[in-house]
Amino acid sequence: MSDSRVEVTPGMFSLAEEKVSWRSTIVMAGFALLVLVVFGLFGSDELVTYRLTADDASFPLPPFIVASNTINIVAGVVLLAMTALAARWVSGNTVVPLWWIVLFGAIALFGLLGWLAAGDTVPLVFLLSNALILAVPIIFGGLSGVMSERVGVVNISIEAQLLAGAFVGAVVGTLTGNLYVAVLAAMVAGMSLGMVLAVFSVKYLADQIIVGVVLNVLVIGITNFLYSQWLVTDSNAYNFPGTLDIFALPLLSDIPIIGPVLFDNRITVFAVFLAVPLLWWILFRSRIGLRGRSVGEYPLAADTVGINVTRTRFWWVGLGGLLAGLGGAALTIGNVGAFGKEMTAGQGFIALAVVILGRWHPVYMAAAALLFGFSIILRVWANQVSPGIPTDFILMVPYLVTLIAVVGFAGRVRSPASVGKPYVKE
């Protein structure tokens, strides 16, 4: 019996992956030099205090105090060493591991915080916990996008689903006085919009982009009208739901740094911890997920083996809208405590971007959303500790980081083969 194993040779290495890896190392080198030269050698020598835990923490850790330029010189040298090792991997036809890039980014971020807070304090727990909270609506919107596009339906209407969930959650929470009923109502609102998208796109074969854009414009118009004509007339009676209670998980919430960030939160944050791995398991480890992915890749083949393409797409898009509605509730009763006019502020489109950046993978998508969440809180915090930095520059940081991530690390992405293509059964 012949040996069926295939020997891997350098010539079999994918040219596309090789180009992406070399591009990644070039971007890494650029960041390393930025940290070393600009933040370190030409940076401030003022002391910066990294506050690792809050003052009232169960197990307080002493603050880490160091000169701003010193920490960046050390970080820059470490980043250059990591870049050199990454280049060695690439020259040996090995793709740079994702965890290596994440570690590189964390060290570079540590240096950036030290540069911004020269002569001041870096509240790590505050920054990390708020980054997670701000990323929750984007993550739920991204999960909706992953579910829709994995079965072949482009979901441009994530913005509408988030906004509808935020509006309904705030109003129902105020009228009923029960925020958990409000969460369910928000999920129903998001799911309803998902089903509308599915009906027009899947059953009536309408252009998916146009349907999504129309839904966005429609929901923005309706919520703006109701907000101006109804909610502002008596906000205490119609638009004052409050926020969900914060739960501190025993023992886990006492862990320094990660405890208050991960285990001292509202139910909407805990729902993210459940939804992301659950969708990953469904997509890549279950029969349901295999059928869904087959519909998004080769609907004709899926139909041939007995999978109902129309029904599969309908329910996946609808349930994706349910998750986006939950993300909308996380904006109002999970964070702000009231509905504001167009309060999603384009987060649905950001969610669509992180779906692509995360390569239609729930975990990678969530990581990209966390990057956006951190960028938002960094913008707020940087205005306080470094008022000399132009506001316009700080505002563009999230989008600049995304462009760098897409060009330098994501490379050329391949969407599901049949996304955006209506299927007509022959």
Side-chain angles (χ1 to χ4, degrees), residues 312-351:
T312 301
R313 286 183 169 180
F314 179 83
W315 283 110
W316 276 71
V317 174
L319 292 174
L322 181 147
L323 291 176
L326 178 56
L331 273 173
T332 48
I333 60 179
N335 188 5
V336 178
F339 178 80
K341 195 174 182 180
E342 297 183 39
M343 68 182 304
T344 50
Q347 292 190 54
F349 299 106
I350 294 177

Side-chain angles (χ1 to χ4, degrees), residues 243-326:
T243 56
L244 293 161
D245 294 331
I246 296 177
F247 296 98
L249 299 183
L251 299 179
L252 294 176
S253 60
D254 295 330
I255 300 174
I257 303 179
I258 66 171
V261 173
L262 300 179
F263 306 116
D264 191 1
N265 275 302
R266 295 181 174 89
I267 191 173
T268 48
V269 178
F270 292 130
V272 164
F273 300 155
L274 175 64
V276 171
L278 179 60
L279 182 56
W280 169 84
W281 184 86
I282 291 174
L283 273 174
F284 302 108
R285 293 292 185 271
S286 72
R287 180 178 298 178
I288 296 175
L290 178 61
R291 291 182 175 183
R293 287 185 290 125
S294 67
V295 167
E297 294 288 345
Y298 305 107
L300 178 60
D303 192 9
T304 302
V305 298
I307 298 174
N308 191 316
V309 175
T310 300
R311 184 170 59 193
T312 301
R313 286 183 169 180
F314 179 83
W315 283 110
W316 276 71
V317 174
L319 292 174
L322 181 147
L323 291 176
L326 178 56

